[in-house]
Amino acid sequence: KRVLDVACGVGYGTGYLADEGNHVIGVDIDGAAIAYAQQRYGGPRNTNFVISDAMQLGLRSSQFDAVCSFETIEHVGDVDVFLNEVRRVLRPRGVFIVSTPRVAHSDARPANPHHYQEWNPSDFEQLLRAHFKNVDVFGQSRRETSTARWLKRLDVLRLRTWLLPHWLTRLVAQASGVHAMADLHSEDVFIRRGDFHRASEIVAVATDENQRY
């Protein structure tokens, strides 16, 4: 399949997609991230990296079988413009695979200063249904140790996000047995239809095809 990875960052997700035999283009607005991704993951012929803005991709229309965009849509100021651009580059039977942080209540003014909006699963599904005929929604959670779950229960207000430097947060997570995203394996991640109780992210698969995933 021909796949576009929008906001690919340093490219490790693009690399996973390419490992499955897909021809993948990873795009990101950050030139330094693209340079790193090209150096580390751009060797195979089926992987390319391009500096590009998700709101105006600058790519030919109707050329991708799938567009993936993970943890991106919450950073977008005009979601409709972004989704229209995704539709433009998708082939008629193409599939859009998107994830975003899960929250209990949708918020147009979230606490995270880097997010324009956050959604609960129901509202996120409705957002995508305004652009695609069929949308399947899943909950995504990571394998956690009992120590990591205990620390989360202690920090019910998520104060670690605001009070601790990022490097210290990662150090505590690693000490409690939580892997960084780049070090995860498929068995460390659970994606289940309708299971949002422990989900940290929402994953949606959107298409105009009459097909469930």
Side-chain angles (χ1 to χ4, degrees):
K1 301 294 184 180
R2 188 169 174 83
V3 181
L4 177 66
D5 186 12
V6 178
C8 65
V10 295
Y12 60 84
T14 314
Y16 285 133
L17 291 166
D19 287 344
E20 297 300 316
N22 302 296
H23 179 83
V24 190
I25 296 178
V27 300
D28 200 282
I29 201 169
D30 187 332
I34 287 294
Y36 178 89
Q38 186 65 45
Q39 180 181 15
R40 179 157 184 187
Y41 302 103
R45 277 199 224 166
N46 62 332
T47 311
N48 294 299
F49 292 94
V50 179
I51 300 174
S52 180
D53 187 338
M55 306 294 281
Q56 192 172 357
L57 291 165
L59 299 171
R60 177 168 53 84
S61 299
S62 303
Q63 63 166 308
F64 293 101
D65 299 295
V67 173
C68 298
S69 183
F70 305 121
E71 312 298 304
T72 305
I73 195 169
E74 64 276 6
H75 297 272
V76 171
D78 193 327
V79 175
D80 289 325
V81 169
F82 171 61
L83 292 174
N84 286 335
E85 187 68 349
V86 167
R87 283 202 60 110
R88 183 184 66 79
V89 298
L90 271 175
R91 289 173 175 162
R93 294 185 174 184
V95 176
F96 180 40
I97 306 170
V98 55
S99 70
T100 193
R102 181 193 70 85
V103 294
H105 305 285
S106 297
D107 191 348
R109 299 180 65 184
N112 189 322
H114 304 292
H115 292 180
Y116 283 93
Q117 186 162 349
E118 295 173 347
W119 296 270
N120 65 26
S122 176
D123 289 342
F124 193 57
E125 180 177 355
Q126 290 304 310
L127 168 71
L128 295 174
R129 285 192 181 279
H131 294 265
F132 295 89
K133 291 180 182 177
N134 295 294
V135 179
D136 286 332
V137 182
F138 305 81
Q140 175 177 291
S141 58
R142 278 193 261 174
R143 185 187 303 276
E144 292 182 321
T145 63
S146 57
T147 302
R149 288 195 294 272
W150 179 75
L151 288 173
K152 274 189 178 180
R153 283 196 293 270
L154 284 180
D155 187 18
V156 292
L157 299 178
R158 296 180 60 84
L159 296 179
R160 67 189 184 279
T161 305
W162 312 108
L163 300 181
L164 298 181
H166 183 63
W167 66 267
L168 183 55
T169 302
R170 290 192 63 179
L171 190 63
V172 172
Q174 290 171 359
S176 65
V178 177
H179 293 153
M181 286 298 293
D183 298 325
L184 291 180
H185 300 283
S186 58
E187 60 268 22
D188 294 319
V189 179
F190 304 98
I191 300 176
R192 302 183 179 99
R193 184 190 303 278
D195 183 3
F196 302 110
H197 178 62
R198 290 187 179 179
S200 52
E201 291 85 27
I202 309 165
V203 179
V205 182
T207 180
D208 287 335
E209 286 286 278
N210 291 318
Q211 182 172 347
R212 298 204 76 190
Y213 290 87

